[in-house]
Amino acid sequence: MSHFEYQNGVLHAEGVALSTIAENYGTPAYVYSKSQLTGNFDAYANACVGRDALVCYAMKANSNLAILDLLARRGAGFDIVSGGELLRVIAAGGDPKKVIFSGVGKSVEEMRLALTHDILCFNVESIPELHRLNEVAGSMGKKARISLRVNPNVDAKTHPYIATGLKASKFGVAFDDALETYRTAAALPHLDVSGIDCHIGSQLLDDAPLLEALDKLIELIDALGAEGIHLHHLDIGGGLGIDYGDGAPVPVGDYLGRLFKRIDAWRAQKHGGKPIKVIFEPGRSIVGNAGVLLTRVEFIKHGEEKNFCIVDAAMNDMARPAMYQAWMDMQPVVKTESDAAMFDVVGPICESGDWLARDRELNVAPGDLLVMKTAGAYGMTMASNYNTRGRAVELIVDGDKVHIVRQRENPADLFALESVIK
Ligand SMILES: *Cc1c(COP(=O)(O)O)cnc(C)c1O
């Protein structure tokens, strides 16, 4: 079930009317449902019960401390892509020993920070990165646990910007180069070769490409084992999609069930029954449908060819439509009976690319409230201050309680680090 439902014609987040939230906290606002968030995580956790598995939430999807804290308390690890994200995990009380570090451009400083906190694993994406990490670990008298991000070259059939497992991708090590790269890693004295990982793309509604990628990873684990390189974990990445209103993904439990079945069969037949830890890196499927972006209509403008509904949220609050031409569902907070017309929903920013939804049938007037649904992932984390717009307030609703988990930025904060030349 969804935790965003109409009650008496008014859209609610759990037990609180979004109209009440707009009155009390203003707009634009990101509103998250605690139950939806924790339920999404539990779907993964429940499918992993009794297994050696770790769900590392890919926090670039939404890195608010309150969200990290709620997930950490349920046992989540974290997939980070920067030193800043590691500091967030620590600030939220998460366990650095459950952190894996992804990304193609880790700096020396970031490596040092992660080694200081003894993270679980570095997901290494290139040979130069292996050498840099080996040097940094050596200089600290440590050994770095590593996994290689292998590019299994399966077509995730998603938007090109979020497909990451193809040959032309900047991510990972080519499948055909993987064995040689593992040999290089195994020969470096300050690295501890511990796993294998991949991440083939995002917003996958079908698990077939993920299972195909799993088969390719297993093939490599067998080949490495034959050379005496034994891996302790297998990390299948994230990528499971959510329903933006245009199609539902395979349920998490079904996907994990099929994945574990394949792993169990392989372990029994070829892996000598030996255990292997399984790691997941879900982002979008944990937070995406747990958040909405609440916005108020400023003006209605009738153009020559189109009607525009100008709202107080913009591409700086939610970049997905402008960046990926993403289709996001727009709904009125208060349902009305009267006639709808076609509108483009746009923000106040001085760019033609500043749109949130196109060609939508809406019944709207100035002052009305709208929500962009399924906006919890890659919303606030991609927000900017373009046009000197403070970022939106973030709220978590828990039953009939509303908690501010990030205050609205005020313009003075935005230029506080700037100075004029004396
Ligand atoms: C972004 C990312 C994820 C999370 O992807 P989702 O599609 O949000 O699940 C996982 N792993 C890596 C390496 C990523 O870059």
Side-chain angles (χ1 to χ4, degrees):
M1 79 166 255
S2 165
H3 293 276
F4 297 94
E5 299 278 358
Y6 285 96
Q7 297 174 26
N8 302 320
V10 180
L11 191 60
H12 281 57
E14 300 199 11
V16 186
L18 286 164
S19 46
T20 306
I21 290 179
E23 288 299 316
N24 292 342
Y25 303 96
T27 52
Y30 273 104
V31 184
Y32 309 113
S33 154
K34 182 186 163 194
S35 297
Q36 187 74 55
L37 173 78
T38 53
N40 290 343
F41 179 80
D42 291 348
Y44 278 92
N46 293 340
C48 294
V49 167
R51 294 181 172 275
D52 186 8
L54 181 63
V55 182
C56 289
Y57 167 59
M59 60 184 280
K60 73 177 191 289
N62 189 323
S63 57
N64 184 285
L65 293 193
I67 287 178
L68 303 186
D69 169 56
L70 287 169
L71 297 176
R73 281 197 258 157
R74 297 178 108 76
F78 297 95
D79 174 32
I80 64 167
V81 291
S82 72
E85 286 193 344
L86 177 55
L87 295 175
R88 276 186 179 272
V89 170
I90 294 164
D95 183 357
K97 293 184 181 61
K98 290 187 187 170
V99 164
I100 53 177
F101 193 171
S102 301
V104 293
K106 302 174 192 79
S107 70
V108 169
E109 292 71 26
E110 288 175 321
M111 288 176 176
R112 283 190 167 277
L113 181 71
L115 284 164
T116 301
H117 291 284
D118 199 21
I119 66 162
L120 180 61
C121 192
F122 289 84
N123 287 357
V124 173
E125 306 224 9
S126 66
I127 291 176
E129 186 188 338
L130 282 178
H131 288 292
R132 175 181 282 182
L133 183 58
N134 180 60
E135 257 173 53
V136 174
S139 74
M140 296 172 74
K142 294 196 177 223
K143 264 194 151 189
R145 282 177 292 275
I146 67 119
S147 161
L148 283 184
R149 176 168 177 177
V150 172
N151 202 332
N153 201 33
V154 302
D155 187 355
K157 299 194 174 55
T158 187
H159 189 282
Y161 282 14
I162 48 179
T164 51
L166 290 169
K167 279 187 179 164
S169 163
K170 76 169 176 178
F171 297 104
V173 173
F175 187 82
D176 294 338
D177 300 336
L179 283 181
E180 192 54 41
T181 312
Y182 267 104
R183 289 182 199 117
T184 303
L188 292 170
H190 307 295
L191 300 184
D192 178 2
V193 176
S194 121
I196 187 165
D197 66 282
C198 72
H199 174 67
I200 61 169
S202 203
Q203 186 51 15
L204 313 180
L205 298 180
D206 181 14
D207 59 357
L210 291 159
L211 297 174
E212 202 185 315
L214 172 70
D215 289 344
K216 307 272 291 226
L217 294 193
I218 283 176
E219 196 183 315
L220 279 176
I221 296 173
D222 286 337
L224 287 164
E227 296 194 15
I229 300 174
H230 300 290
L231 302 185
H232 309 296
H233 77 252
L234 179 170
D235 172 355
I236 194 69
L240 202 64
I242 55 174
D243 188 353
Y244 280 105
D246 53 356
V250 55
V252 170
D254 293 5
Y255 158 46
L256 266 61
R258 283 193 274 269
L259 179 125
F260 283 128
K261 201 170 154 201
R262 282 196 194 202
I263 292 175
D264 289 346
W266 159 70
R267 279 179 53 210
Q269 287 163 18
K270 286 188 155 174
H271 201 56
K274 284 199 298 279
I276 191 149
K277 187 188 194 79
V278 181
I279 297 178
F280 300 93
E281 304 171 354
R284 190 187 309 272
S285 54
I286 303 281
V287 282
N289 68 357
V292 299
L293 176 58
L294 178 62
T295 182
R296 196 179 284 280
V297 178
E298 298 280 10
F299 298 108
I300 298 296
K301 180 173 172 181
H302 298 283
E304 272 182 60
E305 287 188 0
K306 287 198 147 190
N307 298 320
F308 295 98
C309 170
I310 303 169
V311 297
D312 63 4
M315 65 186 284
N316 76 296
D317 299 301
M318 168 50 81
R320 297 188 68 253
M323 205 162 154
Y324 310 115
Q325 293 79 51
W327 189 95
M328 310 274 297
D329 196 11
M330 279 284 181
Q331 297 285 336
V333 168
V334 180
K335 269 191 180 158
T336 47
E337 297 297 319
S338 46
D339 286 349
M342 290 298 271
F343 285 97
D344 278 11
V345 182
V346 302
I349 283 183
C350 301
E351 297 277 345
S352 298
D354 179 26
W355 58 277
L356 299 175
R358 283 183 170 151
D359 301 322
R360 301 303 166 83
E361 222 176 292
L362 292 167
N363 173 5
V364 274
D368 285 358
L369 293 167
L370 291 174
V371 291
M372 174 184 265
K373 298 194 86 179
T374 42
Y378 305 106
M380 187 62 175
T381 46
M382 289 171 84
S384 78
N385 295 121
Y386 191 37
N387 283 204
T388 307
R389 287 169 52 88
R391 280 174 290 181
V393 65
E394 287 181 291
L395 308 158
I396 292 186
V397 178
D398 178 11
D400 56 8
K401 287 199 212 61
V402 182
H403 302 273
I404 298 186
V405 294
R406 190 181 202 274
Q407 297 188 21
R408 186 181 302 286
E409 284 175 339
N410 68 60
D413 296 337
L414 307 187
F415 48 79
L417 298 179
E418 299 170 31
S419 48
V420 296
I421 298 173
K422 292 255 161 42

